[in-house]
């Protein structure tokens, strides 16, 4: 008989680190609100949720690898917004944040959700931070909950 493994959307006793950038805080505070909403609605114990503020998206991988290596959290949720400007700066910051965050998860075995908006305009960012495009902070937290539970199930399986 085959087995199907799937992570439940229940935050229960899971421990989370939310790393959120201060850059574009008008947007990232809304992403943080969305993530907290997802955790609350899925039964998280907020005493087990730490919020860690970083200057910008560039700093996400460094801080994510630090907390993931401590193995004090079941999942890490990274939240920031990179909005295109007049120069190629956007491309460097967005690419390094994406590569770095993906690398942390694979290197440490701790789920790291990528709640990083990369948009051409401020309006697109607003849309994805609680307006018509939903809230990517909420989505990232739901993904973190599901993946943490999936890994727990896989690790407990015999
Ligand atoms: N950081 C962001 O999170 N979003 C941006 O749009 C952004 N832009 O466009 O510059 C940004 N830059 C700061 C960067 O993340 C670092 O904090 C900074 O370069 C210092 O290392």
């Amino acid at each position: 008989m085959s087995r199907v493994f799937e992570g439940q959307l229940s935050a229960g006793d899971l421990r989370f680190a939310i790393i959120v950038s201060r850059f574009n805080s008008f947007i990232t505070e809304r992403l943080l609100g969305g993530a907290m909403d997802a955790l609350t609605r899925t039964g998280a114990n907020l005493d087990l949720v730490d919020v860690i503020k970083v200057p910008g998206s560039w700093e996400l991988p460094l801080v994510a690898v630090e907390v993931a290596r401590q193995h004090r959290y079941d999942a890490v949720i990274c939240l920031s917004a990179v909005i295109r400007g007049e120069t190629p700066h956007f491309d460097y910051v967005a690419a390094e944040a994406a590569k770095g965050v993906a690398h942390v998860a694979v290197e440490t075995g701790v789920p790291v959700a990528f709640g990083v908006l990369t948009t051409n305009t401020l309006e697109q960012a607003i849309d994805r931070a609680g307006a018509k495009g939903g809230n990517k902070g909420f989505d990232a937290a739901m993904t973190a909950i599901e993946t943490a539970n999936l890994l727990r199930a896989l690790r407990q399986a015999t």
Side-chain angles (χ1 to χ4, degrees):
M1 185 73 157
S2 62
R3 296 189 290 178
V4 176
F5 290 95
E6 205 170 18
Q8 300 300 305
L9 286 174
S10 163
D13 60 347
L14 296 173
R15 300 155 302 165
F16 297 92
I18 304 178
I19 309 177
V20 57
S21 89
R22 282 198 311 272
F23 205 102
N24 289 325
S25 63
F26 176 79
I27 300 296
T28 64
E29 285 299 318
R30 282 154 182 79
L31 296 177
L32 177 60
M36 294 303 286
D37 188 30
L39 294 176
T40 306
R41 288 201 205 188
T42 54
N45 175 354
L46 295 185
D47 290 339
L48 303 180
V49 178
D50 289 337
V51 176
I52 301 164
K53 301 214 172 186
V54 295
S57 301
W58 184 268
E59 285 70 35
L60 287 174
L62 174 67
V63 178
V65 81
E66 177 65 29
V67 297
R69 278 189 187 139
Q70 294 173 354
H71 289 283
R72 281 198 289 133
Y73 302 101
D74 296 290
V76 178
I77 301 164
C78 292
L79 304 174
S80 70
V82 196
I83 301 173
R84 194 178 286 282
E86 301 284 308
T87 70
H89 192 70
F90 166 97
D91 301 285
Y92 293 109
V93 173
E96 290 310 310
K99 262 190 292 172
V101 166
H103 184 71
V104 173
V106 174
E107 190 204 295
T108 62
V110 176
V112 185
F114 187 65
V116 175
L117 298 180
T118 54
T119 64
N120 290 322
T121 66
L122 177 61
E123 190 186 357
Q124 289 173 343
I126 292 169
D127 283 346
R128 290 158 180 76
K132 65 186 181 201
N135 187 311
K136 298 300 174 198
F138 184 96
D139 297 347
M142 293 299 269
T143 303
I145 296 160
E146 179 175 344
T147 312
N149 280 319
L150 174 60
L151 288 185
R152 183 179 275 187
L154 289 170
R155 286 166 184 162
Q156 287 172 352
T158 51

